[in-house]
Every structure is written in C-alpha cells, then in structure tokens.
C-alpha cells in the first residue's frame, strides 16, 4: 500500500482545521446592503465570533453554554420567518443587524414597529430628511467636504429629495450649510401611536395587549411550537384565550441603522436565541483600506 505523501497530509490537515474553525469558532459574512451604514458598509466582509453567545452545534439550532446577546451588539442570525417554514433554521438566509432590545427590555415602538426612544444608544442610527431637489449639487458638495459618504437618494416627494443621515452627520451638515439648505426631518412619530413592547424572557410571562397581540401571536406560532391566532380582539393559544404567555426561550429585537432598510425586526419580529449565529467583531475586507482590520462597533 502506497503511503500518502506528506505534502498531501499537510494540505488535508489544513483544510480540516479551516473547516473546524468555520463550523465551531469563526465564520465570515459579506455585508449585502446599506442597512448598517455607518457601522458597516455594503461590500465589506466581517468576521463572526460563533462563541459569543454559546456554541451553536453545527447543523442544528441548539446552543451549548448559551449566553445572552448584549444590547448594542451587531449580530449575525438566521431569518426568523423564511419563505418556507420547512427550511431548517441553520440553512436559512442570514441577516446582520444591531441588537437594540434584550430579554426583559421594554421598548417604545410606534405603529411601524420602529424604536422611537433612546436613539442615542446607537450613534449610527439614521433618520430621513427632505430638502429641495434644486439644492442637490450644493448638498453633495457639503457632504464631500465634511467627509460623509455619498449615500444614495432614498426618494423624491413633492419636489423634494429624501436622504438618510445619522444624528452626527446631520449636525455636521447643518454646521457646513449654515442655513443655505434646510434639512427637514420626515415623519416624526405621533406620541399617541407609541406603545410599550416587552421583549420576552424565557420562563417569564408577557401581558397580552391590543398593540402587541399580533407580534406575540406570530412569535408563538413560528417559534414556540404552538397553535396561535387572533380572533375577536383576543389571543388564542391552542384554542384557548390567554391574557399572558410564558415564553420558552429568550428573544431579541434587531434594528438596522438605516430606516429605509426593512430587513430587521420591523419585518420579521422578534428573533429567538436559537437563530443567533454570533457577534460581528472585526472587518477583514473593505473597499476603504483604512477600515480593514478595524473592530466592528
């Protein structure tokens, strides 16, 4: 019997080590959209620490030594509501967003499920602003002069362009423009439409209210393994009306930085811990060479 050459053994060993590291320790994620600007930019690639929240056993949705996600972390997770419910959790599409609500938090959300309080916790969160379309060239020059990336136009409404800026970007532009252009905030939330939403904690009851009933129903139906429906302004679980529900696992509320990107909890609701892959911790590739090897914040 011929012996396997040492060079092939070394190559096979290296391949095996890489596969084991990717399965158990680290993986990589490409940023597909502008949803996480200015924390992460489209086209960048980041390393994901799969040990951050407990080791998720490969090809399962189970974690060993499970640990909670920290508020403010940028997290890679599987799509909570895929096109086909038959798709195993580990094989579903991957999303990346910032965790803004951990188990036990009470979030103030408007009717569009947008977080409206404590926005300063995420300095990169953006808001929409309108300005006259005739001022486009002036605004673009000001953006370039203060070092703001040329983010794309969001839309055009009633003779005005729409762009999204972070609080800090808005401050810089206002200083630079000195009144030459008015950047008007778009659609400030009506306080009457804002309600408290409790992020579920494993083993603790959440009260059912008119404003959280649909969200709780979808969570129970998709992630708790029980039949749930809303009927006659009441939540039914396994055919019985309930006023509260005790959840079986921890959940999180994920938000993108850019309000025009809907691939976050506004679209798919609460994210169960079983869907969490790991924490983004370092940029390993970026079209901007200055950002390579920078930590993810």
């Amino acid at each position: 019997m011929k012996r396997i050459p040492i060079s092939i053994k070394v190559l096979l060993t290296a391949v095996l080590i890489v596969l084991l590291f990717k399965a158990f320790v680290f993986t990589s994620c490409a940023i597909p959209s502008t949803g996480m600007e200015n924390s992460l930019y489209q086209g960048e690639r980041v390393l994901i620490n799969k040990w951050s929240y407990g080791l998720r056993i490969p090809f399962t949705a189970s974690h060993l030594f499970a640990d909670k996600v920290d508020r403010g972390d940028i997290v890679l997770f599987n799509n909570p509501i895929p096109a086909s419910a038959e798709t195993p959790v580990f094989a579903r599409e991957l999303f990346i967003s910032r965790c803004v609500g951990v188990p036990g938090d009470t979030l103030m959300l408007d009717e569009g499920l947008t977080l409206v309080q404590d926005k300063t916790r995420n300095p990169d969160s953006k808001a929409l602003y309108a300005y006259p379309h005739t001022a486009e060239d002036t605004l673009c020059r000001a953006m370039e002069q203060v070092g703001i990336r040329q983010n794309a136009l969001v839309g055009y409404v009633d003779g005005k362009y729409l762009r999204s800026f972070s609080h800090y970007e808005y401050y810089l532009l206002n200083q630079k423009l000195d009144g030459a252009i008015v950047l008007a905030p778009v659609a400030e939330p009506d306080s009457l439409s804002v309600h408290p939403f409790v992020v579920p904690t494993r083993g603790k009851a959440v009260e059912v209210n008119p404003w959280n009933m649909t969200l709780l129903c979808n969570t129970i139906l998709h992630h708790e393994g029980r039949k749930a429906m809303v009927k006659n302004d009441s939540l039914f679980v396994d055919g019985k009306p309930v006023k509260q529900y005790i959840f079986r696992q921890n959940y999180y509320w994920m938000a993108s930085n850019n309000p025009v990107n809907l691939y976050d909890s506004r679209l798919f609701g609460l994210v169960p811990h079983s869907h969490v892959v790991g924490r983004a911790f370092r940029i390993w590739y970026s079209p901007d060479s200055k950002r390579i090897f920078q930590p993810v914040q």
Side-chain angles (χ1 to χ4, degrees):
M1 182 181 293
K2 294 183 178 180
R3 292 184 177 182
I4 299 176
I6 294 178
S7 59
I8 295 179
K9 288 183 178 180
V10 171
L11 177 61
L12 292 174
T13 300
V15 171
L16 179 60
I17 291 173
V18 170
L19 292 176
L20 288 174
F21 260 77
K22 186 172 182 179
F24 291 98
V25 186
F26 301 116
T27 190
S28 176
C29 170
I31 306 304
S33 69
T34 61
M36 289 307 295
E37 292 182 352
N38 293 329
S39 303
L40 296 170
Y41 291 94
Q42 186 174 17
E44 291 185 332
R45 289 171 171 78
V46 297
L47 289 174
I48 307 295
N49 184 351
K50 301 179 78 171
W51 277 93
S52 298
Y53 313 119
L55 174 64
R56 191 164 82 168
I57 303 170
F59 308 111
T60 75
S62 301
H63 287 77
L64 292 176
F65 316 112
D67 196 8
K68 292 181 181 179
V69 176
D70 290 328
R71 191 184 300 106
D73 285 359
I74 294 181
V75 182
L76 184 71
F77 56 94
N78 293 104
N79 185 355
I81 306 182
S84 172
E86 302 301 320
T87 305
V89 171
F90 66 84
R92 295 177 182 178
E93 183 180 6
L94 291 169
F95 292 136
I96 188 165
S97 295
R98 188 183 298 275
C99 176
V100 297
V102 299
D105 278 354
T106 298
L107 306 177
M108 300 303 294
L109 304 177
D110 65 15
E111 291 181 345
L113 297 182
T114 298
L115 182 69
V116 298
Q117 110 283 17
D118 199 16
K119 292 183 178 179
T120 56
R121 133 169 77 201
N122 174 14
D124 291 324
S125 64
K126 295 189 173 188
L128 287 177
Y129 297 90
Y131 59 94
H133 72 277
T134 53
E136 172 68 1
D137 291 342
T138 302
L139 181 65
C140 286
R141 284 194 299 270
M143 289 170 58
E144 183 177 357
Q145 289 167 356
V146 298
I148 297 175
R149 292 195 176 205
Q150 293 285 337
N151 54 355
L153 281 170
V154 172
Y156 178 83
V157 179
D158 296 330
K160 293 186 177 182
Y161 282 161
L162 302 178
R163 285 185 189 268
S164 59
F165 297 108
S166 70
H167 305 297
Y168 183 57
E169 289 173 335
Y170 174 70
Y171 167 78
L172 290 177
L173 284 173
N174 267 339
Q175 294 293 310
K176 185 65 180 178
L177 293 169
D178 193 25
I181 301 174
V182 175
L183 297 174
V186 176
E188 287 295 325
D190 180 356
S191 61
L192 296 178
S193 70
V194 176
H195 298 287
F197 287 75
V198 176
V199 182
T201 302
R202 183 179 58 201
K204 292 187 177 181
V206 175
E207 298 292 330
V208 178
N209 294 295
W211 56 84
N212 70 357
M213 193 177 296
T214 300
L215 176 62
L216 296 183
C217 178
N218 291 338
T219 305
I220 295 167
L221 182 64
H222 293 292
H223 306 306
E224 293 283 304
R226 302 180 69 176
K227 294 181 180 179
M229 64 180 295
V230 174
K231 183 179 179 181
N232 297 329
D233 297 325
S234 295
L235 175 61
F236 287 77
V237 177
D238 294 336
K240 298 179 180 180
V242 297
K243 297 295 184 182
Q244 61 179 20
Y245 182 83
I246 298 176
F247 285 83
R248 299 177 180 177
Q249 60 178 316
N250 289 320
Y251 289 85
Y252 304 96
W253 192 261
M254 304 294 183
S256 55
N257 290 342
N258 198 330
V260 299
N261 180 78
L262 288 175
Y263 289 100
D264 58 16
S265 286
R266 290 171 295 167
L267 174 66
F268 44 67
L270 294 157
V271 177
H273 189 87
S274 59
H275 287 54
V276 171
V277 176
R279 178 178 63 85
F281 73 97
R282 195 166 295 276
I283 300 166
W284 69 265
Y285 169 78
S286 173
D288 181 354
S289 60
K290 295 179 182 178
R291 290 177 54 82
I292 296 177
F293 300 126
Q294 292 298 307
V296 175
Q297 298 177 342

